[in-house]
Structure formats: structure tokens, C-alpha cells
Amino acid sequence: MSELSHEPVLQQFPDAEWDEAAGAVIVPLGQARTMAEWLLGQGVDYCSNVTGVDYLEREVKEKITNDAGEMETVTRTEPARIDVVYHLYSMQNKTGPLVLKQRTSRDNAEAESLTPVWRSCDLQEREVFDLFGVNFKGHPDQRRILMWDEFEGHPMRKDYTEPFDYEWEPTPHNEILEKHQKGKVIV
Amino acid sequence: MRILGGGIFKGMAVTLRNFVGSYLNKKERLHTNDYSWRADGALPQSIGDYPKEKGEQLSDTTTVTEYSRNFPMLLHDGGEPMDTVRCVACQICERECPPQCIYIEKDYDENGKYIKRPAVFDIDVSVCMSCQICVEVCPFDAIVMNSQFELSTPNRFGGLLVRRDDLLKSNDYYHKIHPEEAASRDQKMAVEKAAKEAKKKAAAEKAKAAAEKKAAETAKEEAK
Amino acid sequence: MSTAATPNYELIQQDGLETNLLEVSMGPHHPSTHGVFRMDVKLDGETVVDLRPVFGYLHRNHEKLAENMSYLSSMPFTDRLDYFNSMTNNWAYALAAEKLIEVEVPERAEYLRVIMAELTRLVNHVSLVGFFINDLGALGTPLLYAFREREKILDLFEQASGARMMCNYFRFGGLRNDVPEGWLERAAKVVDHFPSFLDEYEQLLCENEIILSRTQGVGNLPRELAISAGVTGPMLRASGVAYDLRKVDQYGIYDRFKFRVPYTDGDTGDCYDRFMIRMLEMRESIEILKQALAGIPEGEIMGNAPRVFKPKPAESYGRIEGPKGELGFYLIADGTPKPYRYRVRPPSLINLTVLRDMCLGGKIADAVIILGSIDIVLGEVDR
């Protein structure tokens, strides 16, 4: 199957970045809806998958050549962020995939909803809202989908801790859970 | 011309054919599972085959197939189980098990040194989902799947936790229930053992050759 | 309310009597909702005015569990996503993971993968048609005729992998074990008998006036809405789009087999179209099976995947044409033996986007039939 090239997207929207390692187009802030409508006009009519990915603040070691021409390892901190990843295909031309990523911070996570452009983002963006806590601006019906409505917290975040469950009955294998939670068994 | 209701009558003709056919043509209409590949062509179904003693299994526990699996068991190579048990309590199956139903504790001797045996090896029947991942990741071929399925017990609070001594079964029993798989495992273990022996011998030869060479060199030095 | 198609009904007020809408929760315990699925419907008499699907009763947070386990250990959990088709779930996951490392799958393993996937497609379509007719009111007869054939195929699965439904058979780089002796002959016997069973089944069902009048014209799904809503699988093909991943992506060795893709000729699809598309797809699956069983070579089963699966940091999205639609797995690896992000793209959930549009304006009995024709399995909707 032929690939959907990202070059026209980068030409049309000069602010967009291309992430080579992930093979994705990083959507600039505020332009997600316009980019989506332009893509729909180009024949990209099928949004296959909408996902959220949570990154905590972490240190990344990179090997770069410094001014003296040697390789050295440089540590930099990547800020915490939540990505919303869209996989887009074209059913007319039978090409794809094109990957878009909307980046937002973890504290006040907001993104633009692409539901008015592709209807399939409807339930999937609701799931990202439910499990990650990203507020989608312009979503017609944003409420929890997999957890019950009064649930607090966002389970798929990396720092989510389960609340104390007083109904849980101890079974003979809860020692294993404790052992793994204490970190005794190393992978 | 099309009669209204003609389609329904056609459908009823099919039902009637199946109904009458289930008396006349039993093989096709009534029995559907094909057991022709078994020795006697059928599953053990009569009451007489059912075990009478407690702890005895159905005489033919390869219930359907060679690969049928229900619950794990630990293998030992005959004789006193804890002397020849293959498990060394490396805990790889414990951490790879998807529902985390295995609980292992290593065995230490009186000096506190780790000896290669499990002291505690519990598997929870109510949690185990017979996925066979523990069998695949074990590097010592120590845990394999048993097809015994009568594991029910009236004891609610501990009866479903199968302990180490109940899990130990001999290699001969494994040959009886899964002959092909057991044979291939034994062959693989023999090949690995032969390879290890050959490597050890080669290393010993090399060390001997090196020692001889060194002795020759020192002799030459002294002679000089 | 959401911007759906405008419904074509009118609230009739008779002689100044105030009528209220009746709210019924076709709750999670319901024999015809295919699992723990709830629909809150607002009724005006018998006409559906509003419909709101509620799910999450089977949510096991499979995606977060997989972040704490190695790649191989989450293979048994993929069986339990769409529990009718465990083999195709396994294949989608193996495909996504094999894109992260360079591994070559041997020929015999590829042929066996196709055979297992097409047998799974037969199992799924035949059970679906049975349950669909069951929802219409034919309590049991077509369902159990279908289950007779399903039993034969489940026996084949048990002989190959050890379990009837939760097979756990695929591995990264091949399959777990080879099929036993005589399995291929038995599979050929089952496949040879299937067309005559399908002929009998069609004679039982396809001209039945009750089925025709209850499913034709019910649940219209226009083509543009289907494409925009991300609907895939037989539902999409029933609305007039010839998009089948086995022909578009050509994953595995599907480019070697000659088969056709049935789709409707027109702009909309109704329940009867979806039912007939599935019957036709079963016949095409039998074609593929005959070619695969005839051409399977001897050889080994497992390519040389590393013993500890530790891919370099990369992302991959692997998708297959499952019996219900496009099943995709999105994996982000970060160099450790556990995935950083593991996501399942569930076809049943995304096909449910259009449930409300199809049901508005119809009767409540039609809502049950439309839900049956979408073919959902709650294990996949909720994960």
C-alpha cells in the first residue's frame, strides 16, 4: 500500500514539525482544526485511531558532537506532556497512514477536537478525555465513556494511584502483588 | 408466481429434513464432532470408566488432544521428588505469569546459602487461566501443563491454592499423558546436555594444553 | 445534543393531551444486547426519539495492564478482547510487534496464520448470523444449526493449540507449535462440507418473508456517514465502499490468494445488506481456505525472534481485517521489555458511533435488530 506523504502538509503549514523518530507530524498550537479540514479536502477521509500517550518529566541522554568535535553525552530534561495521536488514512486513494500528534501539557490538558471533521473521533476522544483528562474544545458531547460518571481521576495517567478499596477481599495470592509493588522482583 | 409465505415453507422444509434426518442419518445430522483420529473413535463416556478412588484421574486424560492443557505441574526425574526436582526457583515464571498466580520462595540451607530448590511453590487455581506462558519461559523445562481438570474442592479458603508437593509429578507421568511433547523435550534436554559436556571437555582440554605449554616455557626458562 | 442526522418523526399531540416521553433503560442484563451493554432510549409510543448507548461494564483496563507486563505475557490477554475471534486478535498483536523488530516469518507459519484467520472468520460470521436471527425471534433453530458447524471448527482449534476459544497460538515470528498429524486433512474435510451447509442455511433463511420485511429498509447507513464515522468491516462494505484490508494492505501472504470482496452496489446499506454480505464473505473465506490448504509447504514454524523481546524505541501501528472490522494495535516501545503504550483500536466500539443515527425514527424492536447487525462483542468495546 502506498504511503501518504507528509511533505505537502509541511509545505502548507510551515509551523508544523516532523518528528523523524516517531514518523509523525506535530501539529502547531491552534491550527489542528484548519489542518484537519485541509486534509479532508485532500482526500484523507478516514481517521482510524485516536490515542493519548502520557509522558512524565524525564531526563534524556543524547550523544551529540560538541564544539570541539568530540562525542559527548548531554542530559536534558524533557518536560511532561500528553500527546494525542491520530492515525489518518485515505479510503478513496487507498493510502496511508499519516500520523498527527497534538501536544499539550499535563496540568491543564486541552486540545482541539477533530470531531466536526471526522466523525470517528467522537467516541475515541471521549475515551481520551475519560482516561487521560484532556479537555477537547469543540467536542459535541464530552463525558466519561468507560468509567462511571462519578468517577474521579484519570486511570491511564502514569502517576495514577488506585484509591483504597474497602471491598477487596484478600485472596491467597495477594502476597505476590505486594512483592511486585515493593519492587522486589526486577525485570 | 410467488406464494406469500413460500419462503417460510421452504425454511420449514429444511427443518423437517433435519428432524427426520436425525433419526435416519445420525452420523450427519446428530453427531458433529469427529473423533476418528482417536484409537477407539470416541471419548470415554460410560460410567464404568470414571475413577472410583479419590485422587485417581480419568483413565484417559488426553481428553481431546495432544496439546490440551489445564493446569501446570512441576516435573521431577523419578525417585524421591524433592531430590530430582528440575525447578531451581529462578522466579521467571512468577514474573511472566499474566494473572500473577504463582508464588515462589527460594530454599536456603542451614548456613543461609541458596540451594537450587523451591521451598514454597503455590499456584492459585481460581486465578490461573491455562495460558502456558510459564511453560514457555522456563529455561529448565521444569514446569509443564497437566490436563487434569478435576480440581474442585469443598474448601473455600485455601483449597484452591495448590501447594508444591501436590504439583510435583514425575517425568514418566508426563510421558504418559503427552507422549510427543515429553519426547521432544527429553530430546532437547539431551542435546543441550551433550553440548554442555562437549564444551566442558573442550575447555578442559584447552586448559590442559595451556598448562602444559606454560610448564614447557618455565622449563625452558630454567634451562636457560 | 450532537449534530446527527435529523430524525424523521413528529410528536403527535392528540386533542390537547400532554404526552410525555417514556425513558427505558434497556439495561445491561438483557438477553438481546450481546453482552453487558446498555441503551437508554426515549420513546414516544413505540418510536425511538433518542438513544444513548452506555458501556464500560466490562472495562478491565487491559491497556494499563499491558504496560506492566512483557510483550509475550500480554498475548493471552489479547485472546480475551474479542472472545469469539481469538486467533485474529493474536495476529493483529503479533503483526504490530513484528514491525518493531526485524524478524522473518517462515512460509508454513504464514500459510497456517491465514488458515486460522479464515477459520475464525467463518466462526464469527456464522455465529453472528445465528445471533442476529435469534434476535428477530427465531428462537434457537438457525443459531444451533450454525453452532453445529462452529463446534467442528472449535475442535480443530483445540487440536492445534490446546484450547477451544482462548487459543494463545501466535507468537512473534511465527506460531507456537505445529499442527498435529492429520490436522490438515480434517480441516479440508470441514471446509469441504461447509458450502452445502451454507446452501441449506440460505434456503432456511434468505427468502423468509418475515426476515425480509423486518430487515429491509431498517437501519440505513449512508456511505458518507460510514466513511466519516470510521466504520469498517462488513458494515462498511454493506454501505457501498469496497475497502478490505486484505486487499489494501496485503499483510501476511494475502496477495497470493484469489478471492473477491463482496460489497453493495449503491449508496446506503440496511440490515439485510449486512446479513447477506456476511453470508457471501463466508463463501469467499472458503475459497481462500481451499487455496491455502492445497498450497501449504513443509517447513519450520518459528522464525528467529530474540528470546527476550526488547525492541529499540519505536512506534508501530499494525492492523488487520478482523471479522468485525479493522482491528489495530498501536505500540510504543522504549527499549525496555515492557511496552510504554499499548493501545487496541476496537472495531466494535467505533462501529457503535452510528448506532444512534441509524435507530432514530424507527421502532424500538428495530433498535434491537440494528444492534444485532452491527456485530459487537463487549470484550472489545470495553477492553
Side-chain angles (χ1 to χ4, degrees):
Chain A
M1 188 180 79
S2 52
E3 291 290 319
L4 199 53
S5 165
H6 61 276
E7 300 291 333
V9 184
L10 293 177
Q11 272 174 3
Q12 179 82 8
F13 295 92
D15 293 332
E17 300 162 21
W18 167 249
D19 183 358
E20 180 61 43
V25 173
I26 315 283
V27 173
L29 282 178
Q31 292 188 11
R33 185 77 62 83
T34 27
M35 189 187 274
E37 282 167 3
W38 180 78
L39 280 171
L40 185 62
Q42 296 288 310
V44 176
D45 50 2
Y46 168 45
C47 172
S48 164
N49 181 27
V50 179
T51 323
V53 191
D54 186 23
Y55 295 96
L56 295 173
E57 192 175 274
R58 65 212 169 129
E59 295 192 348
V60 174
K61 288 193 173 60
E62 275 184 345
K63 284 197 171 67
I64 54 164
T65 41
N66 64 355
D67 303 326
E70 300 162 340
M71 299 279 285
E72 64 168 6
T73 326
V74 152
T75 357
R76 60 182 171 94
T77 28
E78 277 236 5
R81 63 172 201 262
I82 295 186
D83 278 355
V84 183
V85 184
Y86 295 81
H87 287 259
L88 303 167
Y89 289 82
S90 163
M91 266 193 202
Q92 296 168 3
N93 313 330
K94 302 210 187 335
T95 55
L98 177 66
V99 185
L100 292 183
K101 287 197 184 191
Q102 288 194 50
R103 295 212 160 143
T104 173
S105 66
R106 283 184 93 230
D107 294 323
N108 200 2
E110 277 193 345
E112 280 188 43
S113 167
L114 300 183
T115 309
V117 182
W118 296 294
R119 184 81 189 276
S120 66
C121 305
D122 186 358
L123 291 182
Q124 302 193 71
E125 283 176 354
R126 268 178 71 185
E127 183 186 333
V128 175
F129 163 68
D130 183 8
L131 298 180
F132 285 90
V134 179
N135 185 14
F136 283 94
K137 292 193 289 243
H139 194 279
D141 184 21
Q142 181 169 272
R143 56 195 162 95
R144 285 195 182 262
I145 185 173
L146 289 177
M147 310 305 290
W148 60 96
D149 291 326
E150 299 87 8
F151 189 81
E152 285 173 15
H154 298 285
M156 281 295 287
R157 290 202 174 192
K158 293 284 182 186
D159 54 356
Y160 175 73
T161 51
E162 293 171 21
F164 173 63
D165 186 1
Y166 60 87
E167 289 178 2
W168 180 59
E169 191 182 296
T171 50
H173 65 274
N174 55 339
E175 283 111 13
I176 310 168
L177 283 177
E178 280 171 12
K179 214 161 67 165
H180 279 264
Q181 274 158 5
K182 279 197 224 133
K184 260 181 157 188
V185 184
I186 314 163
V187 182
Chain B
M1 69 149 194
R2 253 191 102 201
I3 325 169
L4 183 65
I8 300 183
F9 279 120
K10 266 198 196 170
M12 288 201 182
V14 171
T15 319
L16 195 63
R17 201 172 44 214
N18 269 295
F19 178 64
V20 174
S22 71
Y23 289 101
L24 304 176
N25 187 7
K26 273 211 174 100
K27 195 100 186 3
E28 198 188 300
R29 295 289 178 192
L30 203 56
H31 300 145
T32 55
N33 304 76
D34 174 19
Y35 293 123
S36 57
W37 51 274
R38 283 170 60 91
D40 43 1
L43 285 182
Q45 297 232 355
S46 63
I47 291 288
D49 290 354
Y50 212 79
K52 309 228 176 30
E53 303 287 329
K54 183 177 180 294
E56 200 183 283
Q57 301 186 65
L58 268 188
S59 56
D60 187 351
T61 45
T62 52
T63 51
V64 186
T65 71
E66 165 71 25
Y67 295 117
S68 79
R69 55 188 199 241
N70 192 47
F71 196 66
M73 63 181 179
L74 286 177
L75 283 185
H76 65 92
D77 289 313
E80 180 64 33
M82 282 315 291
D83 287 340
T84 53
V85 67
R86 292 186 195 174
C87 173
V88 303
C90 63
Q91 292 179 320
I92 292 182
C93 58
E94 184 185 29
R95 70 166 185 255
E96 295 287 324
C97 172
Q100 290 177 346
C101 65
I102 305 181
Y103 178 63
I104 298 178
E105 269 181 21
K106 296 187 194 303
D107 202 3
Y108 298 95
D109 61 6
E110 50 275 355
N111 298 339
K113 190 163 149 321
Y114 159 54
I115 48 176
K116 294 193 169 163
R117 286 180 359 168
V120 173
F121 196 113
D122 296 342
I123 301 186
D124 194 340
V125 177
S126 60
V127 178
C128 171
M129 57 187 197
S130 317
C131 64
Q132 250 176 359
I133 297 280
C134 54
V135 172
E136 281 184 43
V137 296
C138 178
F140 300 99
D141 288 326
I143 186 167
V144 291
M145 293 310 279
N146 193 0
S147 14
Q148 187 185 12
F149 47 83
E150 286 139 338
L151 298 162
S152 56
T153 161
N155 178 6
R156 195 168 104 188
F157 288 109
L160 285 178
L161 188 69
V162 182
R163 306 245 168 225
R164 178 194 73 186
D165 298 321
D166 297 321
L167 282 175
L168 283 168
K169 297 270 181 340
S170 73
N171 200 10
D172 300 325
Y173 173 74
Y174 183 40
H175 272 275
K176 225 167 50 170
I177 57 173
H178 289 160
E180 277 178 28
E181 211 177 289
S184 76
R185 255 176 219 274
D186 280 351
Q187 198 185 32
K188 193 175 75 136
M189 279 178 70
V191 161
E192 281 179 3
K193 202 161 143 200
K196 216 164 74 168
E197 295 278 320
K199 219 164 81 170
K200 218 161 69 171
K201 218 165 78 168
E205 300 250 324
K206 221 163 83 169
K208 213 167 79 171
E212 280 182 358
K213 210 166 100 176
K214 206 155 155 227
E217 299 242 328
T218 36
K220 234 174 30 184
E221 286 269 330
E222 281 180 5
K224 258 208 307 215
Chain C
M1 281 303 150
S2 74
T3 57
T6 51
N8 50 349
Y9 68 94
E10 278 180 358
L11 273 180
I12 302 180
Q13 278 196 333
Q14 297 184 336
D15 305 325
L17 274 177
E18 267 194 23
T19 52
N20 276 335
L21 297 176
L22 179 67
E23 270 194 50
V24 177
S25 150
M26 295 180 62
H29 271 248
H30 197 282
S32 55
T33 55
H34 296 269
V36 277
F37 180 72
R38 184 171 120 207
M39 293 195 282
D40 285 339
V41 291
K42 286 205 177 89
L43 299 173
D44 168 35
E46 273 218 22
T47 323
V48 174
V49 170
D50 187 18
L51 184 144
R52 207 169 246 224
V54 179
F55 33 83
Y57 291 95
L58 194 51
H59 181 63
R60 300 160 283 188
N61 215 346
H62 172 217
E63 301 181 356
K64 192 152 180 118
L65 278 178
E67 290 177 9
N68 296 331
M69 293 195 295
S70 62
Y71 287 84
L72 180 62
S73 300
S74 37
M75 185 64 97
F77 285 154
T78 59
D79 285 336
R80 287 150 170 86
L81 277 176
D82 173 359
Y83 34 81
F84 275 102
N85 325 325
S86 70
M87 294 280 194
T88 42
N89 297 354
N90 282 353
W91 194 2
Y93 181 48
L95 206 67
E98 282 162 10
K99 283 189 185 175
L100 291 174
I101 55 172
E102 289 293 319
V103 67
E104 173 109 18
V105 182
E107 283 278 306
R108 188 176 163 92
E110 290 276 21
Y111 271 88
L112 276 176
R113 280 183 173 189
V114 169
I115 293 175
M116 295 298 178
E118 294 306 316
L119 282 174
T120 311
R121 198 179 310 270
L122 285 178
V123 157
N124 173 277
H125 284 330
V126 93
S127 331
L128 172 83
V129 170
F131 280 118
F132 177 62
I133 307 293
N134 203 22
D135 285 345
L136 280 176
L139 294 174
T141 304
L143 179 64
L144 292 178
Y145 285 1
F147 269 46
R148 253 192 335 206
E149 301 306 312
R150 185 174 173 248
E151 282 295 311
K152 296 179 189 170
I153 300 181
L154 289 183
D155 273 348
L156 284 177
F157 284 166
E158 186 170 6
Q159 289 160 25
S161 74
R164 281 157 51 106
M165 271 168 75
M166 308 299 166
C167 299
N168 189 14
Y169 189 50
F170 286 57
R171 295 285 177 268
F172 309 131
L175 301 170
R176 188 189 175 260
N177 50 266
D178 204 348
V179 290
E181 271 181 43
W183 191 89
L184 292 167
E185 285 81 32
R186 275 173 253 143
K189 220 162 59 165
V190 169
V191 168
D192 285 337
H193 176 73
F194 220 87
S196 62
F197 157 72
L198 277 180
D199 291 333
E200 187 189 62
Y201 213 55
E202 283 184 0
Q203 191 191 359
L204 178 67
L205 296 177
C206 293
E207 290 181 30
N208 196 322
E209 278 82 5
I210 303 180
I211 294 182
L212 287 178
S213 59
R214 278 199 75 184
T215 54
Q216 282 180 338
V218 165
N220 271 310
L221 183 63
R223 189 200 298 169
E224 279 73 31
L225 181 59
I227 299 180
S228 164
V231 168
T232 50
M235 241 177 112
L236 178 68
R237 294 194 276 279
S239 294
V241 182
Y243 191 73
D244 185 333
L245 289 180
R246 294 174 288 174
K247 293 279 195 196
V248 169
D249 269 357
Q250 292 185 340
Y251 55 94
I253 46 169
Y254 272 110
D255 46 356
R256 297 190 206 175
F257 300 113
K258 259 179 59 127
F259 63 100
R260 302 172 290 183
V261 171
Y263 68 100
T264 58
D265 192 18
D267 265 346
T268 70
D270 56 20
C271 289
Y272 187 68
D273 291 332
R274 287 172 221 137
F275 163 63
M276 281 312 289
I277 292 272
R278 289 185 170 107
M279 300 290 281
L280 293 172
E281 276 193 6
M282 280 200 269
R283 293 200 188 262
E284 295 306 318
S285 286
I286 295 176
E287 289 301 310
I288 301 179
L289 275 170
K290 282 191 189 148
Q291 293 170 38
L293 284 169
I296 181 170
E298 297 291 328
E300 50 179 29
I301 279 294
M302 190 72 183
N304 44 350
R307 191 176 158 91
V308 176
F309 193 86
K310 215 180 192 179
K312 294 201 180 53
E315 301 186 1
S316 79
Y317 180 61
R319 57 182 199 157
I320 61 156
E321 175 76 20
K324 300 194 156 58
E326 172 190 322
L327 176 65
F329 277 78
Y330 176 57
L331 288 173
I332 299 185
D334 61 348
T336 63
K338 304 182 189 179
Y340 187 78
R341 174 77 172 107
Y342 167 104
R343 147 90 180 170
V344 180
R345 186 249 185 226
S348 305
L349 176 72
I350 304 196
N351 291 354
L352 277 180
T353 316
V354 292
L355 176 67
R356 188 169 179 272
D357 302 83
M358 289 197 287
C359 286
L360 287 184
K363 307 283 184 217
I364 186 163
D366 294 340
V368 173
I369 298 177
I370 294 170
L371 182 66
S373 76
I374 297 183
D375 191 8
I376 62 171
V377 167
L378 263 297
E380 199 174 49
V381 169
D382 291 339
R383 283 156 284 136

